[in-house]
């Protein structure tokens, strides 16, 4: 009897292990970057809808503040405790692919699934002919301007060129001295990108032929342009104290007349500053006369060590249906990545989004190169130094920064 009892216990234990293994096999862990207060609720609702349609699969959502995401992923990947799926900055993708951390998705990508996407936003996640991620978030950049402030300054339309903008800024300062003409970011993420608007307008490149373009004449001209705005009192005081969200808040409060940022500001204005009269226009262009924007995608990737790849991709497939994409982009204020979604009246008829969409043919993306985050950081540091220093420091600072960037590039 003791033997039978022991065998029964062993069989019961084996059954529990099998059950636990099956439960684990049916659980997909997803790490989500928090874009807004609506991010978590959207993904939790999507997970419940998916679970209802797919009994036996559980979706576990973990929402992480964007600023903490890269460090968390680095730690989790090193420990082998990463989730099955995660949102990442697409600019991190090359490093992940070179480390064999993420799995290609091509074996799952049917023609129907691939055909859903607008290629402009899918292509940044395609490396060496393989698809390593899907564009979970897509954005671009344009200039927002305060129509009332422009009217008080006698300006009837947004500036088309940087020369126009300098002239308009002087008029705005004279007419409304309590409003800074140019809301200039100088702190935290995308400080370097805000500088690239001037660089691209002058016809420059961040990286060209494997070398940094931060010491090019276009970069020097862009830095002198921005420094001229600062020294002329045409920006908010202390620009290096203002991150992207801070400058956006100044615009919503009517304290700066212009800001260059993403589509999601439109939704924020409608909710938080409904009486603000604003317009959206292209970023001012430079001597080359070419309209441009900064194209941004974040990708969601499937990790190579996932034990539930089939279930995980099935959830991805669900997230990228037209219904789910439309719901998500309405919550977050992102641009459509799904071609059918783009036909939704909210996107097709929105005058603000039409401006962003019109700029996409000239979109610049962050280079998908090894060491990009490090290069972006040394560039941001240099830009802050220029903003705080003297005009004579511009050229030597940028040349030293390009040397740092080239050193990083040569080691990758």
């Amino acid at each position: 009897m003791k033997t039978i009892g022991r065998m029964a216990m062993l069989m019961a234990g084996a059954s529990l292990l099998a059950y636990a293994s099956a439960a684990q096999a049916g659980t997909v862990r997803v790490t989500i970057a928090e874009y807004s207060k609506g991010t978590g609720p959207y993904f939790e609702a999507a997970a419940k809808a998916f679970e209802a349609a797919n009994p036996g699969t559980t979706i576990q959502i973990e929402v992480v503040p964007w600023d903490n995401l890269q460090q968390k992923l680095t730690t989790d990947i090193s420990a082998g405790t990463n989730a099955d799926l995660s949102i990442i900055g697409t600019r991190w993708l090359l490093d992940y692919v070179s480390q064999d951390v993420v799995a290609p998705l091509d074996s799952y990508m049917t023609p129907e699934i691939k055909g859903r996407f607008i290629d402009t936003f899918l292509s940044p996640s395609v490396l060496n002919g393989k698809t390593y991620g899907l564009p979970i978030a897509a954005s671009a950049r344009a200039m927002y301007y305060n129509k009332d402030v422009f009217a008080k300054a006698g300006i009837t339309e947004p500036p088309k060129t940087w020369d126009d903008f300098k002239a308009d800024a002087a008029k705005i300062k004279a007419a409304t001295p309590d409003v800074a003409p140019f809301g200039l970011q100088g702190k935290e993420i995308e400080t370097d990108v805000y500088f690239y608007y001037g660089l691209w307008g002058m016809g420059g490149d961040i990286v060209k032929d494997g070398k940094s373009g931060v010491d090019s004449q276009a970069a020097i001209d862009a830095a002198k342009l921005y420094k001229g705005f600062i020294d002329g009192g045409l920006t908010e005081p202390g620009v290096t104290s203002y991150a992207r969200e801070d400058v956006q808040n100044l615009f919503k409060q009517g304290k700066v007349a212009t800001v260059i940022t993403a589509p999601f500001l439109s939704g924020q204005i409608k909710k938080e500053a409904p009486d603000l009269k604003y317009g959206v226009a292209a970023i001012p262009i430079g001597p080359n006369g070419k309209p441009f924007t900064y194209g941004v995608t974040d990708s969601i990737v499937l990790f190579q060590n996932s034990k539930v790849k089939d279930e995980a991709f099935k959830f991805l497939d669900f997230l990228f249906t037209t219904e789910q994409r439309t719901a998500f982009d309405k919550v977050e204020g992102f641009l459509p990545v799904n071609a059918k979604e783009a036909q939704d009246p909210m996107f097709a008829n929105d005058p603000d989004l039409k401006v962003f969409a019109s700029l996409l043919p000239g979109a610049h993306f962050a280079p998908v190169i090894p060491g990009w985050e490090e290069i972006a950081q040394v560039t941001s540091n240099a830009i802050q130094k220029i903003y705080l220093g003297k005009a004579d420091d511009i050229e030597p600072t940028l040349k030293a920064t390009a040397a740092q960037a080239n050193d990083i590039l040569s080691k990758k």
Side-chain angles (χ1 to χ4, degrees):
M1 293 293 294
K2 289 182 180 179
T3 302
I4 294 173
R6 189 177 296 114
M7 289 179 62
M9 290 176 64
L10 289 171
M11 291 176 66
S15 296
L16 286 171
L17 286 172
Y19 176 80
S21 178
Q24 185 180 20
T27 299
V28 177
R29 296 169 52 222
V30 189
T31 299
I32 299 299
E34 185 174 43
Y35 296 106
S36 72
K37 293 180 181 178
T39 305
Y42 163 76
F43 277 100
E44 291 292 351
K48 288 180 180 178
F50 179 82
E51 290 170 350
N54 296 273
T57 300
T58 300
I59 305 295
Q60 291 182 354
I61 302 293
E62 179 182 18
V63 181
V64 179
W66 178 259
D67 289 343
N68 299 338
L69 179 63
Q70 189 175 26
Q71 182 57 54
K72 174 180 172 52
L73 291 177
T74 299
T75 302
D76 288 353
I77 290 168
S78 297
T81 59
N82 54 276
D84 301 289
L85 297 168
S86 180
I87 290 176
I88 68 167
T90 304
R91 58 191 180 276
W92 310 340
L93 189 57
L94 183 59
D95 287 333
Y96 284 0
V97 170
S98 65
Q99 297 162 15
D100 198 28
V101 169
V102 294
L105 304 176
D106 302 276
S107 61
Y108 298 100
M109 295 282 286
T110 65
E112 185 276 325
I113 293 173
K114 190 172 182 179
R116 296 175 194 168
F117 292 94
I118 296 171
D119 187 62
T120 299
F121 294 128
L122 179 61
S123 58
S125 295
V126 179
L127 302 176
N128 301 320
K130 294 182 179 180
T131 306
Y132 285 97
L134 299 180
I136 193 69
S139 186
R141 300 293 184 264
M143 175 178 276
Y144 289 74
Y145 63 99
N146 186 312
K147 289 185 175 181
D148 285 340
V149 171
F150 270 54
K152 288 178 183 178
I155 304 169
T156 59
E157 61 181 9
K160 289 184 172 61
T161 69
W162 284 107
D163 286 340
D164 292 341
F165 190 25
K166 284 191 291 184
D168 288 347
K171 293 177 184 177
I172 291 168
K173 182 181 180 181
T176 57
D178 57 333
V179 179
F182 185 23
L184 177 58
Q185 178 189 335
K187 179 184 176 184
E188 296 179 0
I189 188 172
E190 291 195 7
T191 292
D192 62 318
V193 174
Y194 222 102
F195 168 68
Y196 300 149
Y197 303 143
L199 169 67
W200 289 324
M202 298 299 170
D205 296 295
I206 307 171
V207 175
K208 186 174 182 179
D209 299 327
K211 297 289 185 180
S212 173
V214 174
D215 60 346
S216 65
Q217 189 60 51
I220 293 168
D221 290 344
K224 288 180 177 178
L225 172 74
Y226 280 30
K227 184 62 173 167
F229 274 98
I230 294 169
D231 292 347
L234 303 177
T235 67
E236 78 279 10
V239 296
T240 56
S241 298
Y242 289 87
R244 181 175 68 186
E245 288 73 16
D246 301 324
V247 182
Q248 290 174 173
N249 286 335
L250 290 178
F251 184 79
K252 287 181 279 189
Q253 295 160 8
K255 295 180 179 179
V256 297
T258 62
V259 65
I260 301 173
T261 192
F264 49 68
L265 181 60
S266 296
Q268 294 178 16
I269 292 171
K270 290 177 175 65
K271 292 178 182 177
E272 301 169 27
D275 296 328
L276 180 66
K277 295 180 181 178
Y278 73 95
V280 181
I283 300 169
I285 58 176
N288 67 0
K290 295 180 180 179
F292 66 92
T293 187
Y294 176 49
V296 184
T297 64
D298 295 331
S299 299
I300 188 164
V301 297
L302 174 63
F303 285 105
Q304 193 71 267
N305 63 353
S306 171
K307 306 299 183 185
V308 287
K309 288 187 175 69
D310 291 347
E311 294 93 332
F313 189 84
K314 194 170 184 180
F315 183 55
L316 278 186
D317 181 17
F318 176 77
L319 289 177
F320 284 93
T321 58
T322 301
E323 180 181 359
Q324 287 298 320
R325 286 305 308 175
T326 302
F328 178 64
D329 288 334
K330 285 182 177 180
V331 166
E332 302 293 359
F334 291 131
L335 295 176
V337 301
N338 178 305
K340 287 186 178 179
E341 174 199 5
Q343 299 170 14
D344 184 280
M346 175 179 172
F347 303 111
N349 301 329
D350 187 302
D352 295 346
L353 293 181
K354 282 184 176 180
V355 175
F356 287 97
S358 71
L359 297 173
L360 289 176
H364 295 263
F365 289 84
V368 182
I369 54 176
W372 171 245
E373 289 299 318
E374 192 177 353
I375 292 171
Q377 187 58 60
V378 298
T379 304
S380 292
N381 294 342
I383 298 307
Q384 289 181 319
K385 182 179 178 180
I386 288 169
Y387 292 168
L388 291 168
K390 299 177 182 178
D392 291 344
D393 297 333
I394 289 175
E395 192 164 344
T397 298
L398 291 179
K399 287 188 179 300
T401 303
Q404 283 182 279
N406 288 333
D407 185 55
I408 295 167
L409 288 167
S410 68
K411 292 178 180 178
K412 297 297 180 179

